[in-house]
Amino acid sequence: MREIYIYSNIGSWEKEKPDGVLKGQIVEKHDTFIEIVDENGWRQIIVLDKVFAIVYQ
């Protein structure tokens, strides 16, 4: 599992203040969304239309 940081704009990315954080694993990547399995086993779909960056360690 990794910490996944989601930034909705360049300002939050530059300030290193994510708009959302979750712990999980990216299981699929598509052109318009990614799919994550979080630490509780739930599948999360993140639509990339309004996301500036997704960073994980």
Side-chain angles (χ1 to χ4, degrees):
M1 295 285 156
R2 297 177 167 177
E3 293 286 328
I4 301 171
Y5 304 96
I6 301 169
Y7 300 90
S8 64
N9 59 64
I10 193 168
S12 61
W13 181 74
E14 288 177 333
K15 293 176 187 173
E16 296 182 10
K17 293 189 176 187
D19 299 295
V21 179
L22 59 114
K23 192 170 195 169
Q25 186 69 35
I26 296 173
V27 292
E28 287 192 49
K29 299 175 188 176
H30 300 273
D31 291 339
T32 58
F33 68 93
I34 63 169
E35 189 172 342
I36 297 168
V37 174
D38 70 18
E39 63 188 333
N40 297 312
W42 291 93
R43 289 192 176 261
Q44 308 290 335
I45 295 175
I46 309 296
V47 178
L48 301 174
D49 286 346
K50 303 215 180 213
V51 173
F52 176 75
I54 295 180
V55 179
Y56 53 92
Q57 299 179 1

